[in-house]
Structure formats: structure tokens, C-alpha cells
Amino acid sequence: MTRVKEELLCRYPFYQPVEGYRYSIDALLLSGFVKEPKAGASFLEIGTGSGIITLLLSKRFTKVSFHAVEIQEELYLIARDNFLLHDLKVDLELGDYRELEGQDLYEYIVANPPFFKDGNISQNTMEAIARHEVKSTLDQLIEKSKKLLKTGGFLYLIYPAKRLGELFGQMEAKGIRPYALKVVYAKEGREGELVLVVGKKNYRGALRVLAPLVIYDQENSYLEEVVKLYKEGVLHW
């Protein structure tokens, strides 16, 4: 598979495929949404792809441990090389996250799961698996996350706004109550396109509905919060 070496946030070199599944602003939004963990915490990224989210988190959080799993071998190999490129000590595994053993292992799980149940599926197998529920469904992701998270652990997700009801329903049913929500809009006055959600295992408190994030102004330039995200790698909340 052909790959290319690029610059992430204009300061981190990384590899990604020339064709197929390539990182987008979704990865920057999700990694920036994760709040500062306590020292010694353990992270799992489900479906790491090229490893972009774990790479970004590792640059922010240097006193935690990272585990990442990827089912597609081509992407696994790219993620491996990205972690080696930055000398990151990531426990990277090739395989299906649903087959991970153990329980109550992680304080944090992060995932940018497939967005779509149906619709036009890409002819590119790599992209089809990353974008559509071909290998994994939402309920399987939430159920496995509940098992792997420690009590009080956090699950961070980015997901289509139109599937928010389904997402919250699955989280509540499986014991990961929604803890905070941030809706992402392409432009002011439009409907929300994405949601950044964090759930907490066995949480009994209220949901925090955060200030919305608007990506572009009317001239298609990034607004201030997004500019700061690219500079700092953080969405403050």
C-alpha cells in the first residue's frame, strides 16, 4: 500500500495512506476534547487507524500509558511506524477489539467509530471498514467499553449528531451515562453535524451540555476556537 509522509499540525511528521482512509479534522477534534488525565492513567484507543489520535494524545499527556488496537493490517503497520517515528511507547495490537481479554483495565477509552449503518459503501475496503459498521456496531463498541473501563472511567467519542439519540440510548442501557456533550457545527445557523461526547462508567450525575463549536465563518475561514485547536491541540472546557 502506498503511503505518504506529511506534517500533522505543521509540527509532527506522520505517515498515512495516499488513498483510502485518511485522517480528518475529526481526529483533531476528538483528541483535543480529551481532558488532562491523572498521572499513571491508562488509555485505550479502539480503531487507531494510522495512530493519529494516540500520537496527538501522547504529545499532550506524557505520564500515562497508551494501548491501541487496529483490525486492518495495512493501517496497523502505518500506526506502528508512526509510533516508532516519534519513539512512543504504545502497546499496539493488531486484531479485533471485541476479542480483547480482561475487564476493568482502563481509565480512558477513546474511539472515532464507524459513522454509518447503511448508505453507499466505498469500494475501497479500508475506507468501508473505517466509515461503515462492517466489522463493528455501536452497541458492540459501548458494551465492550463498559467491560474494559474501570468504575468511574471515561469513554470519549465523536459521532454524527443525527445518531445522538441512538448513542445516548446505548450508553444509558449499558451503564456508561453521558457526562458531557459538545455539538459541532460547520457554520453558524446550520444544523449540528457532529457531537463530541464523553460518558462515565456508573456515573449518576447530570449531563454537562457545553458551548457549541462552529468550524467556519461565512467566508469559509476557521473560527478562533478551531485556530487555537490547530495551534495548541486542545479544546478547552
Side-chain angles (χ1 to χ4, degrees), residues 81-100:
D81 290 347
N82 279 328
F83 299 151
L84 289 172
L85 184 64
H86 291 269
D87 195 27
L88 301 179
K89 293 178 173 60
V90 177
D91 181 9
L92 176 64
E93 183 171 340
L94 172 62
D96 190 330
Y97 76 89
R98 294 170 297 183
E99 298 176 0
L100 293 175

Side-chain angles (χ1 to χ4, degrees), residues 32-61:
F33 188 57
V34 178
K35 292 185 75 71
E36 182 83 27
K38 64 181 181 180
S42 55
F43 272 79
L44 168 67
E45 185 188 1
I46 291 176
T48 193
S50 299
I52 304 305
I53 292 173
T54 291
L55 191 161
L56 289 171
L57 291 174
S58 70
K59 295 297 184 179
R60 291 177 57 201
F61 311 136

Side-chain angles (χ1 to χ4, degrees), residues 179-209:
Y179 177 83
L181 164 70
K182 191 177 187 73
V183 183
V184 181
Y185 299 82
K187 289 184 178 181
E188 188 174 350
R190 294 189 182 180
E191 293 186 359
E193 294 190 6
L194 297 170
V195 288
L196 291 161
V197 173
V198 54
K200 187 174 182 179
K201 181 175 176 177
N202 297 337
Y203 177 59
R204 297 184 182 277
L207 172 68
R208 294 181 61 186
V209 180

